[in-house]
């Protein structure tokens, strides 16, 4: 076993979720690339100049200009290139927009090609890509493009990069959030496999991450939107469907006629649902106290340290945290990769474990009278999906 630290180049660094996890697993960052100015300020606020941000911060430019020598490396000397390309072109959430799941046709989707350009230039031992499940499956996935590009990459480099991918639930690796992520590994050192999940009985739930927090700003956060005052009448772990003919509340909505996260509330005893990067005013998950989550709570549910700084206004902060890779997931993947690269693997330090008993849910409140006019016979959505058909 070697004693030096493995090196990695970070692409699409965001607020550093992937970088923090890999650093905790023993990797040494040689440089990061992040186009968003607010996210770069967040990186600097947490790591100062120790995390070198490579100008001009545009992967399209750097894919054509950056050389290993610029970072004090030789060709083939880098252990890992890691990054999470923008997920919106591959996201299920994007089905609700006019540019739904355009995949590699989206300008952001073509950034995958820039990643492979840098792989050809640096020739790292391993490449790690993290994204939403739609990145590797479905009609707009990037997987076929990556696999087809490997023949050209291998011919150009003289190596044999082999692809492997899996969809991992972050909750299996210490994140108090049931966040499913596509993990793609390109390796020229042979098959690597996947880290062993935590035992089911110690996987964290939302209470383990944010239970008992005393945040004086939390009561000041009001659930916006027309339907926010309905939240106290919805049980923990439920959404608007509580108030349909198939729920236990009043028939205010048609079954499956809204998007799943509409008025969705966390349950103390379950992992959180995926935190959205651009939620609408009625988009959950909301806190079990029937309010929006604070930024600190979002960070903790993502497995960041609670004191991790996020720059910008609240909208900017929510976007950055919602787009981040959960550091605890990255740490466990990183430790597995470090061992495969021949380095001493570190024990995990990020994330949460089951903390013990969870308090019972609070008593529900009655539906405010102003919503009683919605009571009626609301037909359910006729299809088999979870809501209206996506726009095309």
């Amino acid at each position: 076993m070697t004693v030096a630290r493995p090196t990695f180049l970070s692409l699409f660094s965001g607020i550093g979720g992937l970088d923090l996890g890999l650093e905790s697993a023993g990797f040494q960052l040689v440089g990061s690339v992040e186009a968003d100015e607010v996210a770069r300020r967040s990186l600097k606020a947490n790591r100062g100049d120790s995390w070198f941000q490579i100008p001009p911060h545009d992967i399209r430019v750097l894919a054509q200009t950056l050389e290993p020598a610029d970072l004090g490396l030789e060709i083939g000397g880098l252990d890992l290139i890691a990054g999470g390309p923008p997920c919106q072109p591959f996201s299920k959430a994007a089905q609700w927009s006019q540019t739904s799941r355009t995949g590699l046709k989206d300008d952001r989707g073509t950034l995958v090609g820039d990643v492979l350009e840098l792989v050809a230039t640096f020739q790292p031992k391993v490449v790690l890509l993290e994204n939403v499940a739609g990145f590797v499956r479905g009609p707009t996935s990037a997987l076929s493009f990556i696999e087809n590009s490997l023949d050209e990459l291998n011919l150009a480099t003289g190596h044999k990069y082999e692809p492997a991918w899996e969809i991992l639930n972050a909750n299996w690796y210490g994140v108090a959030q049931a966040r499913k992520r596509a993990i793609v590994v390109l390796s020229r050192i042979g098959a690597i496999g996947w880290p062993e999940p935590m035992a089911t009985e110690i996987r964290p739930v939302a209470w383990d991450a944010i239970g008992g927090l005393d945040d004086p700003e939390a009561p000041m956060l009001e659930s916006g939107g027309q339907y926010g005052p309905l939240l106290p009448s919805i049980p923990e772990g439920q959404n608007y469907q509580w108030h349909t003919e198939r729920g236990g509340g009043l028939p205010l909505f048609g079954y499956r006629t809204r998007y799943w996260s509409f008025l969705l509330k966390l349950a103390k005893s379950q992992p959180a649902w995926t935190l959205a990067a651009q939620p609408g005013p009625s988009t959950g998950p909301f806190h079990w106290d029937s309010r929006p989550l604070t930024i600190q709570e979002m960070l903790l549910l993502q497995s960041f340290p609670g004191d991790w700084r996020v720059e910008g206004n609240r909208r900017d902060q929510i976007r950055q945290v919602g787009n981040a890779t959960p550091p605890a997931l990255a740490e466990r993947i990183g430790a597995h990769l470090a061992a495969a690269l021949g380095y001493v693997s570190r024990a995990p330090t990020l994330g949460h474990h089951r903390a013990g008993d969870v308090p019972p849910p609070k008593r529900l409140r009655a539906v405010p009278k102003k919503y009683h006019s919605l009571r009626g016979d609301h037909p359910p959505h006729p299809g088999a999906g979870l809501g209206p058909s996506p726009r095309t």
Side-chain angles (χ1 to χ4, degrees), residues 171 174-176 198-209 268-271 351-359:
N171 183 240
V175 182
M198 298 167 60
T200 303
E201 62 271 14
I202 63 172
R203 295 175 189 172
V205 296
W207 178 260
D208 300 317
K268 302 184 192 77
S269 61
Q270 300 174 26
H352 302 89
H353 291 76
R354 288 305 311 271
D357 294 336
V358 175

Side-chain angles (χ1 to χ4, degrees), residues 168-171 177-181 272 274-275 302 321-324 326:
L168 302 180
N169 188 327
N171 183 240
Q177 185 183 174
R179 189 182 184 97
K180 294 182 179 179
R181 308 304 290 177
T274 299
L275 301 183
Q302 281 277 56
V321 178
N323 279 330

